[in-house]
Amino acid sequence: MPAATELTTAVWRKSSRSGPVSDQQNCVEVAFVEPAVAVRDSKRPECGALVCTGTAWRAFLRSVAE
């Protein structure tokens, strides 16, 4: 798993399913920090991120697509 310092330099991408910037709801960002994937609330990045393996991320995506 990546160190916390790696997450501060990570390239975060806002989810295409998130609302517009003016919408203060549903703001999720993801960063791919090999070999892990990090997810955070873009409105509150100081609260940290959920970090999981690439395998767990793909399983999550499959489960929400069903």
Side-chain angles (χ1 to χ4, degrees):
M1 291 295 166
T5 55
E6 290 179 67
L7 293 180
T8 61
T9 60
V11 176
W12 292 91
R13 293 180 26 211
K14 187 174 180 183
S15 168
S16 62
R17 299 287 184 170
S18 291
V21 175
S22 60
D23 178 10
Q24 292 299 307
Q25 301 175 21
N26 304 324
C27 298
V28 177
E29 292 179 315
V30 64
F32 298 95
V33 185
E34 292 297 329
V37 179
V39 182
R40 71 180 182 183
D41 181 343
S42 64
K43 297 183 312 294
R44 302 196 55 201
E46 71 279 1
C47 291
L50 172 67
V51 180
C52 62
T53 65
T55 301
W57 178 249
R58 288 185 295 278
F60 168 73
L61 292 178
R62 278 192 306 276
S63 70
V64 297
E66 295 177 352

